[in-house]
Amino acid sequence: MIHSLFLVNSSGDIFLEKHWKSVVSRSVCDYFFEAQERASEPENVPPVIPTPHHYLISVLRHRIYFVAVIQSEVPPLFVIEFLHRVVDTFQDYFGVCTEAAIKDNVVVVYELLEEMLDNGFPLATESNILKELIKPPTILRTVVNTITGSTNVGEQLPTGQLSVVPWRRTGVKYTNNEAYFDVVEEIDAIIDKSGSTITAEIQGVIDACVKLTGMPDLTLSFMNPRLLDDVSFHPCVRFKRWEAERILSFIPPDGNFRLLSYHVSSQNLVAIPVYVKHNITFREGSSQGRFELTLGPKQTMGKGVEAVLVSSQLPRGVLNTNLNPTQGTYTFDPVTKLLSWDVGKINPQKLPSLKGSMSLQAGASKPDENPTINIQFKIQQSALSGLKVNRLDMYGEKYKPFKGIKYMTKAGKFQALLSN
Amino acid sequence: PSSSPRHDDLKEMLDSNKDSLKLEAMKRIVAMIARGKNASDLFPAVVKNVACKNIEVKKLVYVYLVRYAEEQQDLALLSISTFQRGLKDPNQLIRASALRVLSSIRVTIIVPIMMLAIKEAASDMSPYVRKTAAHAIPKLYSLDPEQKDCLIEVIEKLLADKTTLVAGSVVMAFEEVCPERIDLIHKNYRKLCNLLIDVEEWGQVVIINMLTRYARTQFLNPNMNESLLEEGGGEKAFYGSDNDDDTDDEEDKEEKEKKKTEATAIVKRKPYVMDPDHRLLLRNTKPLLQSRNAAVVMAVAQLYFHLAPKAEVGVIAKALVRLMRSHSEVQYVVLQNVATMSIKRRGMFEPYLKSFYIRSTDPTQIKVLKLEVLTNLANETNISTILREFQDDHFNDKDFVAATIQAIGRCATNIGEVRDTCLNGLVQLLSNRDELVVAESVVVIKKLLQMQPEQHSDIIKHMAKLTDNIQVPMARASILWLIGEYCEHVPKIAPDVLRKMAKTFTNEEDIVKLQIINLAAKLYLTNSKQTKLLTQYVLNLAKYDQNYDIRDRARFIRQLIVPTDKSGALSKYAKKLFLALKPAPVLESPFKDRDHFQLGSLSHLLNAKAGGYQVLPDWPEAAPDPSVRNVEVKESVPEWTKCSSREKRKEKKADKPFYSDSEGESGPTESADSDTASGSESGSGSEESGSGSESEESNEESESASEEDEEEEGKKKKKNVEKIKARKPVPETCLAVHAVFTQPPPLPVSVPQTIIPSGNLKTYELLHRITGEGLSVEYCFSRQPFSPDPHMVAVKIQFTNSATSEAKSLHVEDAKLQSGMRIKEFPEIEVLPAGETVSVVMGIDFCDSTQAANFQLCTHTRKFFVSIQPPVGELMMPIFMTENEFKKEQGQLMGMNEITEKLTLEEKCQGEHAVVQRVTTAANLSRVPCGSDKECRFAGKTVTSGSLVLVSVVTKEDGAAQLTVNCEKMVIGTMLVKDILQALTQ
């Protein structure tokens, strides 16, 4: 299966290598570098590269290429999924997954990689198990370790691996038992000039933070489970129960995890929470253009729209802008032509707008690119799809846990077209 | 060198008494390893610490040891005893970790120790240790492949393990060590299906992929009825042969059996009923489409694509589309597979058309793949949307332009209604600012125009003008070819283009030069008055060109077209040669036929076989015995039923409420509530009643009457296994073959090309019972590859001793062979007791001729002169080809190498299936996929010289048909035509 792993940074240096079978010379990466040179953008490097004796399968995350060396047939997705899992684990352990973080924690990284694969086949990829084997570094522990000489490696043996629920470590104890669930939805949409929706879809996740003693068995039911027809689950969720009763029944992992992710497509009507009114004109022959933009709330279910940020890539012909926002601050970078306007909160009584003029290159013809506007926003305490949790119950343990559910909507790739 | 002082200080730290110093040293050493720096000189100092009390030090020492043991074998041995001690530790985790490290030390000398340790661990009471043993198996196998047989024993033992912890790992070991031993899976099949949902994600992927292959060897094609609807011929033949049997005597049962297998070139077909085990697999994998792991989802998707009835495959589309929202690498792989699937099952993805719309932020390789999928999904109703999608401003990505224009071309060829729209669109692109766009458009327009040139002379004119501006060689060459080819449509312009080209000839690229010569030649033939001098001029220029291809072409064309006194016989055909009607090129997807690779595999992605790829076998014609999967029931309930019952179990306050099956040492939990489950299981069984008996019978290849059918069914329900055994002569023969063969008998997996089951093979007599004084010998061409020598034809010889005394030392002697022919004799049969039958295989290299191989067959007392003469169809072996390859090869085997015959198909033989049956019975060829149902294609190569043999049968109305054989060896071709004709008309 996976023979070796090389980590390559954006300037093309290998800064870490790990081999699970006999050593493969790092010169095998030359084929990768060739492909990297050919690619116009970093993400255009093909994920699978055949070489005379090996195959290179790579993923790009946080501007680091994780290049796995394969010697024989293996499903490519198997490797890709595993590599992403490695990145997630690093992120989980170090907060960020950067070259510096990996280099600083090289021993922990090595220990993790050692546990995650045996002879190239995944062994322990559950964060719960790994954390039992290798404790994540914290500043305090690092200090203590240097003084006392104690270690990062768990003193106890990893009993979680023996467990019937391999994602949960055993012997969990908390004084405050609590379970929090965050329903987070991201809306991707393209809105045309007239304000009608071209595409709109919602990506939702339910992230959980569960700190419960013992082996709790939870059930989570929804007011409107029919919304969830396109879902993927954490392995802890019992499929059969979901299929039969539309109830999520599971023994949770300890700590943070993603319980499920779902998708609500444009077939179901997706409510669009904000609207944009705009008027951008370039007159032929003139070196001035007019710019007008107004934002307003649309279907927000009575909740306020916050943290609004508008950005747009203006045509190359635009030299500078002279605009006045009614609220917030705006910047325009004459080099990258990136306009960004930090609006903040939308007040329905007094709609934010940005008006003014643009100066164009003298004598140049009317710019033919059509700028698009990207909008970011947040709506607290509401899930746009209308998904609502009905109740959360716990079985298998006697104590009363503290339960909490939070909803939030965010803009994903939310674009308004300015084309005429 | 420079780093050695630092190493000295590391050594000192390692030798100290303080754990913290040791740890610090080990950390620095591991950091060196991680950076790829050599730390091997520290080996002695590090290994000393292998028994260190500090866990982290110990772990880091293990890391070091595994990394460098291979280079320092002698020193590595010092550490072995530590691990051997660990293997006996009372703590299961320590036992497991000792085995893990021990098996990772790649030092050949410890192979016996590892073997012993693995064997012991495989029977450990802890499932975790057993899992580690399963992991260790591939490690040992890669270190010493000689251990294969012993390791298979361990795998067999671990496959029987009932815990989810072990299942994934042991199937992984199975796949690496002995993927061909499908027989090991039978007894564990149902258990694996039922455990699947609780196995960890990575194991699920491996198991699902393996079970896909398994199902392809054991079950019938659920979609076969569709392909059978058209043919009625096979049915008749079946009843006919059945009638014959009825007249036979009861005692002659064996004889009858044999006769049947001989007579039935057509395998019996009945209404398809799915094997319950096949259904079990589909049912238990489906929920995994909801997995968060993309690899699991893909594995289930490919399983459904390869195994599910057409109507059920659709469920995977939504899950695959969901994966499209994942990381771009995941998207890339998923799109590759969707591209292949969307050719076969377009309807499945049509509702998700929008998900394949191209985003300007997509990486190029994703854009290209989305384009591919959109093209595959295009039909009359959605084409306008798709074309708009193509035209939207995606032209700023250079790599992508060419792909878009080609996609438009493909839509145009596939959907007649929009051909003109596409063509107009492409012509508009000719005035695009970007030369690349123009060039690519020219190339595609050229292909489109070839379909209907007469209507588009204005476009050709337009393109002629482009030669002034456009510089991309491929585009220039395409324009010139077009003008030459259709010079009659543009009689005024063509000579002028040649004039301009003659001027610039010396500065053109080679491909352009070749086309200028072509253009000149064609014009000379059609319009010599105007172009004679120009042509001469061009040919003169070409004569002194630097490129020998061009010089060669010029010389050749001059001889052909310019009449001289010495000009050869060909020149009068010059016009025919140059202006022959050329078939329009087929623009088809590069993903066509890619599904002969298992989807989701690396090989599929690369469209090339990767090392270690296991071929996905074709469905068997008749299902093998389903009873092999029956498990002896020890308790009152079968163990594989618990999962289906899971939903019935609600809130129980037990320790392991829902996930019980994975705890290995606790057997009882598994059967705790399986009563209800077994009920539901048998319920589903009766739903699909009769399926078991169906496949069983076809395995026997017997055509029983319907009463017998019912009786059989009853027996099956009683699980009367013994009865079934008694009715089957086949297994016994198999056993006999086992005894003689030195290698295990070939399994269906390893020889996927052999489509015809052995039952259909024609048997010939080698020695009659009378002449042989009680010894009768028959032979048949087994159509298996002869493994000792691939250039030999495998001949299966069956001895039956019907004398009263035993025959001894049967062997071959004194072969009298034509020059070049060779024989590989079968190993001597020492004793053949009276009344016994034995089969052996010998190889004969017939040198691709039908000359008989003469030799003596000797017993301990007598010698018999015998000879084996092969029918021409047995001198070849099947090869796999795609439709494109077939067309290409056929194009190269024209003229004398092609033989065509018209024929009228016999009544029973009309319909695709019957034709395929008859042709593949007559000759050892394999079917080549073909878009048209009017045409059947077959390919093979001769065994000795490997010359291609291509056969195609085109059927028309009323049984009229045309047979074409293309073969480099004309004699073979002629004889083959004769044989196939006979097979199809009688």
Side-chain angles (χ1 to χ4, degrees), chain A residues 115 124 129-135 152-154 158 161, chain B residues 59:
Chain A
E115 292 300 337
I129 306 280
L130 286 170
K131 286 198 173 149
E132 218 178 340
L133 292 167
I134 302 146
K135 295 205 184 80
N152 274 332
V153 170
Q161 263 166 323
Chain B
K59 279 204 164 177

Side-chain angles (χ1 to χ4, degrees), chain B residues 866-886:
Chain B
V866 292
S867 79
I868 292 180
Q869 188 172 22
V872 65
E874 302 299 341
L875 295 175
M876 45 203 69
M877 53 193 184
I879 52 171
F880 185 84
M881 262 192 194
T882 63
E883 192 172 354
N884 276 344
E885 286 166 344
F886 185 91

Side-chain angles (χ1 to χ4, degrees), chain B residues 766 779-781 789-797 816-824 842-855 867-876 942-945 969 972:
Chain B
L766 192 60
Y779 69 93
C780 68
F781 296 91
D789 185 341
H791 294 299
M792 287 189 171
V793 177
V795 185
K796 189 174 158 190
I797 300 179
K816 287 206 176 57
L817 302 170
Q818 301 285 330
S819 67
M821 274 164 72
R822 293 173 302 139
I823 277 191
K824 174 95 177 115
M842 67 188 283
I844 305 178
D845 181 356
F846 288 104
C847 279
D848 290 352
S849 83
T850 50
Q851 300 277 5
N854 301 311
F855 53 87
S867 79
I868 292 180
Q869 188 172 22
V872 65
E874 302 299 341
L875 295 175
M876 45 203 69
T942 61
V943 173
T944 306
S945 64
K969 304 223 162 196
I972 298 240

Side-chain angles (χ1 to χ4, degrees), chain A residues 148-308:
Chain A
T148 61
S150 63
T151 69
N152 274 332
V153 170
E155 288 290 342
Q156 294 132 356
L157 291 155
T159 46
Q161 263 166 323
L162 306 173
S163 159
V164 281
V165 280
W167 52 85
R168 186 176 176 86
R169 60 194 185 94
T170 48
V172 183
K173 268 201 189 99
Y174 290 100
T175 42
N176 297 319
N177 289 295
E178 40 194 20
Y180 298 108
F181 293 85
D182 291 356
V183 180
V184 181
E185 294 191 344
E186 272 190 22
I187 173 167
D188 292 352
I190 303 176
I191 315 290
D192 73 0
K193 189 177 163 66
S194 64
S196 52
T197 312
I198 296 177
T199 63
E201 50 184 41
I202 293 172
Q203 321 280 355
V205 293
I206 299 183
D207 283 337
C209 176
V210 176
K211 293 180 174 169
L212 298 174
T213 307
M215 271 284 171
D217 196 336
L218 303 180
T219 59
L220 188 69
S221 62
F222 298 94
M223 308 279 264
N224 40 9
R226 213 176 296 159
L227 277 171
L228 301 175
D229 76 331
D230 190 2
V231 274
S232 64
F233 297 120
H234 189 275
C236 70
V237 175
R238 298 173 178 106
F239 289 117
K240 299 266 178 182
R241 188 88 194 271
W242 171 256
E243 270 178 13
E245 303 168 57
R246 297 277 141 176
I247 284 175
L248 290 178
S249 152
F250 56 98
I251 294 175
D254 183 46
N256 294 309
F257 67 101
R258 175 155 296 173
L259 181 63
L260 87 149
S261 45
Y262 60 94
H263 175 243
V264 181
S265 66
S266 45
Q267 273 99 338
N268 314 33
L269 225 60
V270 173
I272 303 295
V274 294
Y275 71 87
V276 186
K277 264 198 212 153
H278 49 79
N279 190 11
I280 295 175
T281 47
F282 306 104
R283 238 167 304 140
E284 195 71 59
S286 154
S287 63
Q288 287 283 310
R290 274 171 50 77
F291 187 101
E292 255 187 72
L293 191 79
T294 309
L295 291 173
K298 217 171 166 185
Q299 293 144 301
T300 62
M301 288 166 286
K303 305 286 189 311
V305 183
E306 301 170 10
V308 181

Side-chain angles (χ1 to χ4, degrees), chain A residues 17 26 73 111 114 236 238, chain B residues 35 100 603 611 658-659:
Chain A
E17 63 179 72
R26 53 164 71 192
E73 175 61 50
E111 285 168 343
E114 185 74 21
C236 70
R238 298 173 178 106
Chain B
R35 284 200 310 270
R100 190 177 158 203
S603 304
F658 295 99
Y659 305 82

Side-chain angles (χ1 to χ4, degrees), chain A residues 1 15-23 26 40 43-48 50 55 57-61 70-78 80-82 84-85 106-107 110-111 114-115 117-119 121-123 125-126 133 149-155 157-159 161-165 167 188 190 198-199 201 203 217 219 229-241 243-245 249-251 263 266-267 368 395-396 413, chain B residues 20 23 27 30-31 33-36 54-56 59-60 63 66-67 70 91-94 100 104 106 126 128 131-132 135 138-139 165 168-169 172 176 197 200-203 205-206 209 284 287-295 298 318 322-323 325 327-330 332-334 351 354 359 361 363-365 399 433 600-603 605-606 609-614 643-644 646-647 650-651 653 655-660 662-663:
Chain A
M1 291 234 141
F15 64 92
L16 187 116
E17 63 179 72
K18 167 82 185 136
H19 309 273
W20 285 276
K21 301 185 183 187
S22 39
V23 178
R26 53 164 71 192
S40 50
E43 57 267 27
N44 284 359
V45 179
V48 182
Y55 305 93
I57 299 185
S58 62
V59 306
L60 172 65
R61 293 266 301 266
I70 310 298
Q71 212 155 29
S72 57
E73 175 61 50
V74 57
L77 268 188
F78 187 97
I80 288 171
E81 180 79 32
F82 175 79
H84 281 300
R85 212 58 80 78
V106 67
V107 175
Y110 233 68
E111 285 168 343
E114 185 74 21
E115 292 300 337
L117 281 185
D118 182 14
N119 195 38
F121 189 74
L123 190 65
T125 51
E126 285 297 335
L133 292 167
S150 63
T151 69
N152 274 332
V153 170
E155 288 290 342
L157 291 155
T159 46
Q161 263 166 323
L162 306 173
S163 159
V164 281
V165 280
W167 52 85
D188 292 352
I190 303 176
I198 296 177
T199 63
E201 50 184 41
Q203 321 280 355
D217 196 336
T219 59
D229 76 331
D230 190 2
V231 274
S232 64
F233 297 120
H234 189 275
C236 70
V237 175
R238 298 173 178 106
F239 289 117
K240 299 266 178 182
R241 188 88 194 271
E243 270 178 13
E245 303 168 57
S249 152
F250 56 98
I251 294 175
H263 175 243
S266 45
Q267 273 99 338
D368 53 358
Y395 303 87
K413 292 174 197 147
Chain B
S20 58
L23 184 59
K27 280 184 171 173
V30 167
I33 297 175
R35 284 200 310 270
N54 182 304
I55 292 190
E56 190 164 19
K59 279 204 164 177
L60 295 177
V63 169
V66 171
R67 168 68 180 75
E70 217 169 352
N91 185 319
Q92 48 176 341
L93 289 157
I94 292 175
R100 190 177 158 203
S104 298
R106 287 171 296 274
S126 151
Y128 185 66
K131 181 191 176 76
T132 314
H135 276 268
K139 298 184 200 168
L165 209 55
S169 304
M172 179 67 225
E176 294 229 335
I197 202 157
E200 39 83 37
E201 303 157 90
W202 312 105
V205 178
V206 179
N209 281 321
N284 285 6
L288 293 176
L289 282 173
Q290 245 85 60
S291 172
R292 64 165 176 181
N293 187 317
M298 188 65 233
K318 189 193 270 182
R322 169 157 41 80
L323 294 187
R325 291 188 286 272
H327 300 285
S328 88
E329 296 88 3
V330 175
Y332 173 77
V333 178
V334 171
K354 272 194 175 175
R359 284 173 188 268
T361 48
T364 307
Q365 67 264 30
D399 304 318
R433 268 181 285 179
S601 66
L602 184 62
S603 304
L605 189 122
L606 300 167
K609 208 174 146 178
Y613 173 75
Q614 294 294 316
C643 266
S644 52
R646 197 192 255 186
E647 63 211 64
K650 300 273 163 72
E651 274 36 321
K653 292 201 173 181
D655 273 356
K656 312 152 191 163
F658 295 99
Y659 305 82
S660 59
S662 52
E663 186 65 351

